[in-house]
Amino acid sequence: MTTHDRSLLWGRCALLGRLLLPLVDQEPWRQARRHDDLRAWGIGVAEGERLIEVFAALAACAAADDAALSGAELDGLSLPAVADAATGKADIELLVGLPDTFDDPRDEEAAGFFRLYSYRGGQADRHLFQLSREVRRALLVIADRSRPASPTYADFFRQAVLAGVYHEP
């Protein structure tokens, strides 16, 4: 995959990560529960939510790589496949999906957090495990809300537009 293709793939996956929590939080109790869980795990809410965003983006990149999809072909990517990648891939495997450079400094900062957690070990490993479960749960909640039965990346964005959390450019 060329650098341009990797950058396009990352950008589209990062957008999924940024929209995941606002879309799942259409039921407000989910946000309160997630915040309680993050605090109980010893993770700051802002840091935890940013890690969830980048985790979701990395899982989407990993699932796209597994399906041999480019950024332009991402609309056909299955949300359950992304959920499976979130919990089925090792942290180090997910890091392969990072681009060499980032267009958004927030993505670079979040990727740095993820790298730190990945290499730190100990309690950080436990936190990544808990966050992977949270990403999976959020993706499956959105998949359950979808029609058709096997929702895709494109269906995710249709839901985001309908929910008012994303406006197509």
Side-chain angles (χ1 to χ4, degrees):
M1 187 176 288
T2 68
T3 302
H4 173 71
D5 291 339
R6 175 58 63 190
S7 181
L8 175 61
L9 178 64
W10 172 257
R12 297 209 54 216
C13 291
L15 183 56
L16 178 141
R18 282 191 288 278
L19 294 175
L20 179 63
L21 295 179
L23 189 55
V24 83
D25 289 349
Q26 293 298 298
E27 299 167 302
W29 65 268
R30 291 189 185 279
Q31 181 183 53
R33 191 218 64 199
R34 183 179 59 255
H35 289 183
D36 288 344
D37 287 346
L38 288 169
R39 284 189 284 272
W41 298 334
I43 303 171
V45 170
E47 182 178 338
E49 290 192 340
R50 195 64 185 112
L51 282 164
I52 288 169
E53 289 178 15
V54 76
F55 212 126
L58 289 167
C61 282
D65 285 344
D66 288 348
L69 297 174
S70 69
E73 300 167 322
L74 203 58
D75 285 347
L77 182 63
S78 157
L79 287 183
V82 178
D84 289 346
T87 55
K89 298 273 186 191
D91 311 331
I92 303 303
E93 288 179 282
L94 293 174
L95 288 171
V96 171
L98 289 172
D100 295 330
T101 60
F102 295 86
D103 293 333
D104 185 338
R106 286 179 14 108
D107 288 342
E108 187 167 12
E109 178 184 58
F113 278 141
F114 193 89
R115 276 191 192 101
L116 284 173
Y117 271 71
S118 295
Y119 295 121
R120 190 177 301 160
Q123 186 66 22
D125 284 340
R126 176 100 174 115
H127 288 165
L128 284 177
F129 171 77
Q130 291 161 320
L131 292 169
S132 75
R133 306 301 291 171
E134 190 65 33
V135 169
R136 180 179 178 77
R137 182 180 8 247
L139 287 163
L140 293 179
V141 162
I142 292 167
D144 286 346
R145 290 181 191 162
S146 290
R147 304 292 180 255
S150 183
T152 64
Y153 185 89
D155 297 321
F156 173 89
F157 281 96
R158 276 192 283 283
Q159 280 188 45
V161 168
L162 289 173
V165 297
Y166 178 65
H167 305 285
E168 292 182 281

